[in-house]
Amino acid sequence: MQKQQDHHRIHIESSENERESWGLPEEVTSVEEMVRLYREGKISEDEFRRFRLQHGMYGSRLNKDYTMVRIKVPAGILYPDQLIRLAKLCEDFSIGSVHVTTRQNIQMHWVYLDDAPAVEKGLVEVGLTSREACGNTVRNVVCSPFAGICRNEPFDVTPYAKALARFFLRNPMCQNLPRKFKFNFACCDEHSYARIADVGLVPVVREEEVSDGNASRKVRGFRVYIGGGLGPASYLAELLEDFTPEDMLLPTCMAVIRLFDRLGDREKVHRNRMRYLVHDMGFERFRELVLKERRIVLMTRSVLANLYIREDKVDAPHTDDIDLVELKPFNAPDGFHRWVKSNVMDQKQKGYAIVFIPLPAGDVTARQLRALASICREFSHEGCVVTTPYQGFALRWVMKSRLVELYKRLSETGLANYGALSIASVVGCTSTTSCNLAITNAHRLAKEIRSRLIELGLDMDDALRDSTIKISGCPNSCGQHMIATIGFFGAAVRMNNTLTPAYNMLLGGKVGKESALGRIVARVPAKRIIDVILRLIDVYRKERLDGEGFASWIDRVLEGNGTNIKSVDDLKPIIEEASKLPSPEEDPESYVDYGSDSRFIVKTARGECAA
Amino acid sequence: MMKARRRMYPVLVEPEELLNISSKDVVLIDVRKEEDYIHGHIPDAVSLPLARVLESMDPKQLHRLFRSVGVDDASKYAIVYDDTFGALAARVAWALEYIGHERVSLLSITYGRWVSLGYAVEKGRGKGKGIEQISTVDDNDDTGIDISADYDILATYDYIQAIIEGIKQLQQGKETNINSSSSSNSSIKKGDGDGKVLLDVRERLNYLDHHIPYAMNIPWKAFAGEDRILKSVDEINSLLSYRKISRSDEVIVYCGSVGTLSGLSYYALRLAGYTRVRLYARSLKEWRSLNLPVEGFKNAHYWDLSAE
């Protein structure tokens, strides 16, 4: 049932919960056809590349026989049968595990190109798609994993995220943009990734007077941020206007995309994201154009251009609330409290919790996916899991009274790792494990840091809880290093006359209300990164003010207001000292990258984002 | 030239069919470990652990072994099962075919699945057939039986070496007119191997790491069903057609150790109507031990992507 609200071009459906189906069977046929034509040499490399990127197939590192299949997961929502299907598909056609990305996608790596149609078929059968997961189009619509359960949110943005994803998927207006285009939905300022996307949306509710002046009503809307994004040059998105009512959401987004389509640079491959356009013309000018374009959209758009907002109801019985801090069940197994501390948070709904399932650099096995599917069916009252921007899963609507039981179940398949919302939850892009652009193995490094921090129990340290570590294998920022408290991106540096895997180190990045991009402070050899991180934590512990968190201390130093270590200049010698390498003869290991047993060399191939 | 083989007996037997077969000529073979068999097995099954079958490739000895569990003449119909994806059962069934016994099928599900579906099980040493008799085989009782092996379903390392040589020569001949869209050097396409396809069925990462030169890779799980040991004929055929492997090709399957997972893949191909299939029974284990050449892809740290 659809009800059209007054003049609002927003449809609210109150029908039974119905699952989105993103895939289309005919796309299996077209993938099959195009792969065949390509293999038979009947279409060119360029033509095929364009097609496959539009269908979520990205080239694999230095090997044209394989492809990465990126599955678009709008708002990160996955159902148990989909998890089971992903498990089977990755065993049959990939490497027996899948990778969860920072933009909530699922990636299957090292898929033999000729098997791609079989993978597509398997996805479509359970309502999934890889369509427009790559290429110059609207990429996966990201949505906060807290949306719907967040204590600070004015309303649940999930239905809006899904509606926008549905509107733009396969929409002719965004099939050939100058470059990819990203939407991020936040639930609130605190959990917001809104300022690192082309369009970021933070929900707000405004009281509006009704015409007779005596009554008021609440209007849903958004703060719309425009022109952000991470990459070799990163920018934070700027606020378009104080309040964009919900009925203006679609016209605003359409206006921005139309402008980008028309004015965006299609020539300079490395400067054609919308943020460059906005930056070059100046935000004020761009804002004027957007508002003008929006008026044109409103006057000219088709009656079909609507968002269908479908609000799903969660069927969760009333249950007594339990204080997570006080939660000390008599039957708690080893590690339970540590797990609760870092992985479990209250929902706004009494008695229920959101449980994070961190994965080492986003990797999860087929066996774990199957286990997660059955755990989800048993424990989540909303019946699905969501992927997180920290490369993991979250299970929501879990009754707090069942946490012990859940912990045991997750432990059985290695899914109860500690440190989800702590400094130990290290993000690392896939880098040299599969990506053509990678210089270093950021993926393995992230896993190494994570296990070391957990081993040292740093996930338990509340003072480090405001901090994050994120790593990319190249400047392109898939690992979101620019928004980390400590960020790294891969580089090759000649040290002691030897080419050495290294990272540029950034400090002070963050998302949320006070979003900021990290500042490059040093260059550190890969094999000294862990030492440098630990050294920095040491210094912090000596230097901190009462109750000051690690990230806050770093900010203070970056501002030049440190205590003994006054500024970055005082910090640099300490980092340099911890970065020192013995000669290659003394310690050849230090000059070899993680995951490698041979001399470090840089091998890259053309990136395909721009194709 | 190897002859095309048509099967007289189905590759798979369904549990319902098994329950309805009342012929005394049926020998149901449980190839799990003996203690598992004693703990519980399908009623009337005899025990013949895979390890016994792997002891020798000598047809005469294999013949004696199978005879000891009741497959004592050509009229006997062997149905084999295991609890390891069907792979152990497949290797045993293949051994029967190898010694020329054509009446053999695999149970379409594993023992574990059989139990979870609620079918009857039997405990103990069964009907006395099998276990004791294996150890009391009369070594001299081979008279009057044809014990020549069927070498058309077997691939040996030297057979594979010859294929590799053949492909090399073909590729050298073609070097001048290579299709630019296919830059592959690690897999053979149809035709490149003169209708011969080397198929590595290990998991993808193992294959990327190293494999027999020119082998292509379809992980064995791609042939395995969710609840059945093999996918449907249509599904298997569509997989193979994506890889341009046709029924006229000769396909040589191998895996990492002793021909079990490749044995299952052997039967996937047979189920799909492929008639020229060979099992490299000693697989990579032997190939590596002989220090024969392997190739792999070294330009990526793909192992670190594994969540295991």
Side-chain angles (χ1 to χ4, degrees), chain A residues 46-158:
Chain A
D46 282 348
E47 197 178 342
F48 182 61
R49 183 190 305 113
R50 214 189 104 63
F51 171 84
R52 74 173 155 75
L53 289 173
Q54 192 182 27
H55 289 80
M57 291 185 268
Y58 201 97
S60 287
R61 183 171 173 80
L62 304 166
N63 194 327
K64 284 183 183 169
D65 274 333
Y66 294 90
T67 182
M68 174 264 274
V69 178
R70 181 181 289 157
I71 299 138
K72 199 174 198 175
V73 189
I77 298 168
L78 285 170
Y79 294 89
D81 63 310
Q82 295 175 329
L83 294 169
I84 290 168
R85 179 56 59 92
L86 290 171
K88 181 65 178 148
L89 289 174
C90 80
E91 284 176 338
D92 290 3
F93 304 110
S94 176
I95 62 170
S97 60
V98 303
H99 173 74
V100 180
T101 79
T102 51
R103 296 202 76 256
Q104 298 182 302
N105 297 295
I106 297 281
Q107 288 180 179
M108 282 188 201
H109 290 274
W110 300 104
V111 173
Y112 196 73
L113 182 60
D114 303 58
D115 290 342
V119 175
E120 289 299 323
K121 181 165 180 287
L123 294 175
V124 168
E125 281 171 358
V126 292
L128 293 170
T129 191
S130 60
R131 170 92 192 199
E132 290 161 49
C134 311
N136 294 332
T137 174
V138 172
R139 299 292 187 86
N140 192 32
V141 174
V142 164
C143 181
S144 165
F146 295 97
I149 57 131
C150 173
R151 282 197 281 194
N152 309 324
E153 70 179 8
F155 61 91
D156 181 6
V157 295
T158 314

Side-chain angles (χ1 to χ4, degrees), chain A residues 299-319:
Chain A
M299 285 184 288
T300 60
R301 73 169 159 159
S302 147
V303 289
L304 299 172
N306 290 303
L307 287 185
Y308 291 89
I309 306 298
R310 197 156 57 201
E311 295 188 342
D312 295 341
K313 294 273 176 298
V314 175
D315 184 19
H318 173 80
T319 177

